[in-house]
Amino acid sequence: MPSLRKYLPILDWGRTYNRSAFSNDLIAAVIVTIMLIPQSLAYALLAGLPPEAGIYASIAPIILYAIFGTSRALAVGPVAVVSLLTASAVGQVAQQGTAGYAVAALTLAFLSGGFLLLMGVFRLGFLANFLSHPVIAGFITASGILIATSQLKHILGVSAQGHTLPEMLSSILEHLNEVNWITVVIGVLATAFLFWVRKNLKPTLLGLGVPPLLADILTKAGPVAAVVATTVTVWGFGLADQGVKIVGAVPQSLPPLTMPGLSPDLLGALLVPAILISIIGFVESVSVAQTLAAKKRQRIDPDQELIGLGAANIGAAFTGGYPVTGGFARSVVNFDAGAETPAAGIFTALGLAVAAVALTPLVYYLPNATLAATIIVAVLSLVDLLILQKTWAYSRADFIAVAATILLTLTLGVEIGVASGVATSVLLHLYKTSRPHVAEVGLVPGSQHFRNIDRHEVETDPALVTLRVDESLYFVNARFLEDLIQRRVTEGCAIRNVVLMFSAVNEVDYSALESLEAVNHRLKDMGVGLHLSEVKGPVMDKLKRSHFVDDLNGRVFLSQFDAWQALTKPEAAANAAE
Amino acid sequence: MPSLRKYLPILDWGRTYNRSAFSNDLIAAVIVTIMLIPQSLAYALLAGLPPEAGIYASIAPIILYAIFGTSRALAVGPVAVVSLLTASAVGQVAQQGTAGYAVAALTLAFLSGGFLLLMGVFRLGFLANFLSHPVIAGFITASGILIATSQLKHILGVSAQGHTLPEMLSSILEHLNEVNWITVVIGVLATAFLFWVRKNLKPTLLGLGVPPLLADILTKAGPVAAVVATTVTVWGFGLADQGVKIVGAVPQSLPPLTMPGLSPDLLGALLVPAILISIIGFVESVSVAQTLAAKKRQRIDPDQELIGLGAANIGAAFTGGYPVTGGFARSVVNFDAGAETPAAGIFTALGLAVAAVALTPLVYYLPNATLAATIIVAVLSLVDLLILQKTWAYSRADFIAVAATILLTLTLGVEIGVASGVATSVLLHLYKTSRPHVAEVGLVPGSQHFRNIDRHEVETDPALVTLRVDESLYFVNARFLEDLIQRRVTEGCAIRNVVLMFSAVNEVDYSALESLEAVNHRLKDMGVGLHLSEVKGPVMDKLKRSHFVDDLNGRVFLSQFDAWQALTKPEAAANAAE
């Protein structure tokens, strides 16, 4: 059943599942579970949801992705950027902390899942390509900065608002008098500890002779150590009574069955953010999955990935979660820990289910500042301001796209930021192709080759202008060519013939066809012939479907040399006779 | 002073002005003036303004364009499409018939003029190219239908509302009980007469031996005859008392000095429509001007045209007019009547000034139905549904753009229609280039040429894959190539080397660079070499600014044949030894 297996990749890897794969998957699952417990709580906090939502969002979605997804190592669940987008979108329709807020988050996951499934069914994965790399890089960097800033209030123990950098900073400044210094000490120590763990723990352990796998598990468990230490401290010294904000009661339960809100108003208000979240989540997920698959010479199918991620989000919508996607950090950890199949994800989900039932009372005294520290340390690795320098060195247009995306995301919010980024990169592309390279060419003496007259010593004929067009012709550059020919022909009165050399023209759209027709009519009015040479087959087929070739005030030559011979012969003969 | 002449083209043609040009210009001006009097009144009615606004909008703007514009024959003034756009934009901020409505129309002209001047100063004329020909054609056709429909109420003598086709039609149906049958008779007769004049009068007169110039003037005067006949009828039979709506009192005056409204609210509300009107007006005007200039082997400067049209609109804003542009019909009439210089425009302006002062009392009894008939006959020539058939035959993408623009303009209004049209054509272009043609090539035996393995008998090597990329690489197609290489390489286990043949790649943007880097890393992980061949100079210069070439897990070959020799040599030698 190859077609069923295409839509249910689990049938593929499940048939050959064996003990070796099982033990590798199990080890990977233990490591990822340890890493995910504090991370899930933290990202739920970032999304403005109760902490258990983060754990619930990691259970059903992982299992559904394991069934429908094509990547062997991708770990699906709440991620930083999508959590930020969720907070921004849901914050616009409901007040944080209300039941409506949680329901709106379910709706967002439901819409996002539905949109991903639709894109998958219609095989529209390519749409994600309209997000250029500079836009994604700029957006991720700006999101990292926004997320880290949004966590400052938890480190300081103040209540602050805002979805943009200026809003957040000014809100924090306003509430600076509320700073809780015990919270600050916990938050700063936790942040410093986590940075140290990330940078130095593994080398230190390896230096002490600890086996690599254990060193790895211990390093991944760093956040757990911070959680345990700060929780015990807050509990032991009764710091919650000193104003240190804590996670508090988390229900001890498996993921509940939930129903997303489906009122037309809510659906309408969340549709655009859901599309945005879907596309950004998809792009992040696919690039991680492709990178990991390539390392084992495996392939992922981007359209089937849409279905996997769509199913995961639908799952999140009905089990108390919120929008999820394939996360970078957790997938790399999963892969490095030796996960061989999506079964590792299923074991992770089981581990998290156990945690949801058994461990949630233990995090009652966990300070929010510790979770904020976890987030800050995680997202600062997303911030890559070097992209500005790299794109500046490589191409100004790409630099403008990155800079605009970063600036607008920070100052006007994530949705406007990414939308303007896409618009900027599309406009810059159109601008670049609106002025195609057009070279006037002449014959290289003693050959049949034609080269740019500005760069080579070539033969020309004052009565003949040959223009080689180095770009496909379409509406954005159609008029450019029209103007250019007009300018060139009005310059020299001796011009009798114009040849357009189409060797690099892969496409002539209807606008360009009409421009060519206009050029043809104008040149006819001036008594100048218009000819084409080296037209590619598909382009010629298309031109023949119009009247252009019939109306052409000149000929279509197979090769430019034929055109040269036919259009200069009389004069060449005359010259030879002199 | 060549630079001053560049910005004041009048200094150019003014220096050589002579008696022959004078008499030609004067004759053209008389014909255009006769044509413009009823047309100006009618277009003002279409824009929802008092009739005199149409005449005022034809005086100062023409003179200003004559000073700053570069076309010798373009006739500037109110045109049908811009009048419709004005009615749609101003109708959103003010009630028709109020003083606020007229002031908002002045503001629209002011904003439009300012925007055109800015575009001209920054030489942004190329932005107009983002409107593809199918979008323009679809928009003009839909506008023609909308305009003709909007005039039905005047022919029927009912009061109806609406800016979209369904709105207009349902509003007319609602008011059908108010139909004034005398108005219907006048309207239908006037429409039939004007159609007859347009189609048959000139041939009939020529057949009767009337000299061509006179036949032309008489044909152009057709609308004047309809105006005179219906005015006299209404006056003689006292039909205004029978419910026939008439133009009524029109002030007898030169264009007044007026001040556009400059409140931030008004400016904000009209900014987007003003930009739209500017771009559409500019596109219409430039294409007319270019067509006419080409007939005399003259050139127009699109950026200076922006300044000319900008000045004309600023002029309209301060002299009781509304947005103007170069009109198709009047410019062709002007050209055909022999206008040699913009002085013809100045004479036309003087003729209209005389009309404004002396003739306005004569149109008191002119029925609105006659003006509506003038508009209907004029705009139906804009309706070109054949464009649907032509684009269908030529290219599905262009057909979709036309059809979407027509449909959305008719049903959702002019602004949404044209905006969706632009979005559609940009998206279709991105879609088309998102799947570039990539051919796998092999060596033509006994030559150094490489051709598509699917179309030619060529030598290949199972360990070497050579892909020729027939499109510039940029963000929209970057991932496509990434996937394609991934798919191709995971297909065959024997593959040791991949060569990308870049002969048709004119650009590699940062997204494509990152994709190439990702491909390079993945192939390296698989133990497969990645090589480039035939990279163009500018592309290579750019690639060298990144680390890509240094990190490349392979080489850059000058020619594909070099690559072939280097990468197949060992096996070729081995084969030879067998």
Side-chain angles (χ1 to χ4, degrees), chain A residues 6-296:
Chain A
K6 183 174 161 68
Y7 291 105
L8 283 174
I10 193 173
L11 297 178
D12 206 7
W13 58 263
R15 280 151 32 108
T16 56
Y17 202 65
N18 57 26
R19 183 180 298 194
S20 137
F22 172 77
S23 71
N24 284 335
D25 285 347
L26 198 61
I27 292 172
V30 170
I31 295 179
V32 174
T33 306
I34 291 172
M35 173 185 167
L36 283 193
I37 294 175
Q39 211 176 69
S40 303
L41 300 173
Y43 288 152
L45 189 76
L46 172 57
L49 289 162
E52 65 271 21
I55 297 193
Y56 297 158
S58 306
I59 298 177
I62 291 187
I63 297 175
L64 286 162
Y65 179 82
I67 297 170
F68 294 102
T70 57
S71 167
R72 299 285 171 99
L74 195 72
V76 168
V79 305
V81 171
V82 169
S83 300
L84 175 73
L85 286 166
T86 300
S88 161
V90 176
Q92 277 161 31
V93 298
Q95 189 69 32
Q96 205 167 308
T98 63
Y101 191 92
V103 169
L106 297 174
T107 304
L108 196 64
F110 178 75
L111 281 172
S112 170
F115 181 74
L116 288 163
L117 283 178
L118 270 183
M119 296 230 316
V121 168
F122 291 106
R123 310 194 76 70
L124 298 178
F126 71 90
L127 277 182
N129 301 341
F130 289 13
L131 279 178
S132 72
H133 292 214
V135 170
I136 297 169
F139 176 72
I140 298 278
T141 288
S143 297
I145 296 173
L146 280 181
I147 293 169
T149 310
S150 76
Q151 298 309 304
L152 276 184
K153 63 178 177 193
H154 296 299
I155 300 279
L156 296 171
V158 304
S159 54
Q161 300 291 326
H163 290 297
T164 68
L165 198 61
E167 280 171 20
M168 288 178 190
L169 291 177
S170 71
S171 179
I172 287 175
L173 285 179
E174 260 172 44
H175 294 83
L176 218 51
N177 56 327
E178 303 165 11
V179 167
N180 179 295
W181 290 105
I182 305 175
T183 308
V184 173
V185 170
I186 295 172
V188 169
L189 284 179
T191 310
F193 171 73
L194 291 172
F195 264 119
W196 178 81
V197 166
R198 174 178 279 256
K199 291 257 176 207
N200 302 320
L201 184 59
K202 199 170 165 189
T204 307
L205 290 173
L206 292 175
L208 293 172
V210 177
L213 181 62
L214 186 62
D216 220 43
I217 297 182
L218 288 174
T219 306
K220 301 302 179 234
V224 175
V227 163
V228 171
T230 54
T231 305
V232 169
T233 308
V234 169
W235 170 73
F237 294 95
L239 296 180
D241 302 332
Q242 308 287 323
V244 173
K245 292 201 185 95
I246 55 174
V247 167
V250 176
Q252 243 177 308
S253 125
L254 284 175
L257 212 64
T258 54
M259 192 66 201
L262 297 176
S263 78
D265 276 2
L266 191 59
L267 292 175
L270 291 176
L271 185 62
V272 172
I275 292 175
L276 189 66
I277 287 177
S278 307
I279 293 179
I280 290 175
F282 173 63
V283 169
E284 181 174 351
S285 188
V286 162
S287 44
V288 177
Q290 272 177 331
T291 306
L292 298 181
K295 288 189 198 266
K296 294 198 169 174

Side-chain angles (χ1 to χ4, degrees), chain B residues 243-256:
Chain B
V244 173
K245 291 203 185 94
I246 55 172
V247 167
V250 177
Q252 240 179 310
S253 126
L254 284 176

Side-chain angles (χ1 to χ4, degrees), chain B residues 354-499:
Chain B
V354 170
V357 172
L359 303 181
T360 46
L362 299 182
V363 298
Y364 185 93
Y365 286 105
L366 170 60
N368 284 344
T370 308
L371 293 179
T374 315
I375 295 176
I376 289 175
V377 174
V379 298
L380 284 184
S381 68
L382 300 179
V383 175
D384 171 25
L385 290 170
L386 276 180
I387 186 75
L388 284 169
Q389 193 190 319
K390 281 192 230 164
T391 48
W392 175 264
Y394 187 72
S395 129
R396 293 299 180 273
D398 286 305
F399 171 79
I400 292 170
V402 177
T405 308
I406 291 182
L407 209 67
L408 294 172
T409 303
L410 288 180
T411 55
L412 300 177
V414 283
E415 288 168 18
I416 295 179
V418 79
S420 328
V422 170
T424 307
S425 53
V426 169
L427 286 177
L428 287 169
H429 163 69
L430 295 180
Y431 177 70
K432 277 191 280 181
T433 54
S434 74
R435 292 155 182 239
H437 185 241
V438 177
E440 188 167 343
V441 297
L443 181 69
V444 178
S447 82
Q448 301 190 0
H449 293 293
F450 290 80
R451 292 278 183 280
N452 195 330
I453 59 169
D454 293 335
R455 299 201 185 167
H456 299 87
E457 282 291 321
V458 289
E459 285 178 32
T460 56
D461 177 337
L464 175 67
V465 173
T466 302
L467 300 171
R468 193 192 64 217
V469 184
D470 283 352
E471 186 88 54
S472 290
L473 294 176
Y474 76 112
F475 63 96
V476 165
N477 58 29
R479 211 179 300 270
F480 174 86
L481 186 67
E482 215 177 311
D483 291 347
L484 188 132
I485 294 173
Q486 183 79 0
R487 198 159 54 234
R488 184 63 189 85
V489 171
T490 47
E491 263 169 19
C493 282
I495 295 166
R496 310 294 314 148
N497 289 293
V498 172
V499 180

Side-chain angles (χ1 to χ4, degrees), chain A residues 133-134 290 294 297 299 393-394 398 432 470 483 490 506-508 510-511 514 522 526 542 545, chain B residues 133-134 290 294 297 299 393-394 398 432 435 470 483 490 506-508 510-511 514 522 526 542 545:
Chain A
H133 292 214
Q290 272 177 331
R297 211 157 174 152
R299 274 197 67 228
Y394 187 73
D398 287 306
K432 277 192 280 183
D470 284 352
D483 290 347
T490 47
N506 294 314
E507 155 83 358
V508 173
Y510 194 79
S511 300
E514 293 210 320
R522 284 180 202 158
M526 295 182 192
K542 229 172 151 185
R545 275 184 257 152
Chain B
H133 292 215
Q290 273 177 331
R297 213 161 176 149
R299 276 196 67 228
Y394 187 72
D398 286 305
K432 277 191 280 181
R435 292 155 182 239
D470 283 352
D483 291 347
T490 47
N506 295 313
E507 155 82 358
V508 173
Y510 194 79
S511 301
E514 293 210 321
R522 284 180 201 158
M526 297 182 189
K542 230 172 148 185
R545 274 184 257 150

Side-chain angles (χ1 to χ4, degrees), chain B residues 542-554:
Chain B
K542 230 172 148 185
L543 289 179
K544 278 189 181 153
R545 274 184 257 150
S546 74
H547 289 287
F548 177 67
V549 179
D550 300 334
D551 297 345
L552 192 65
N553 182 33

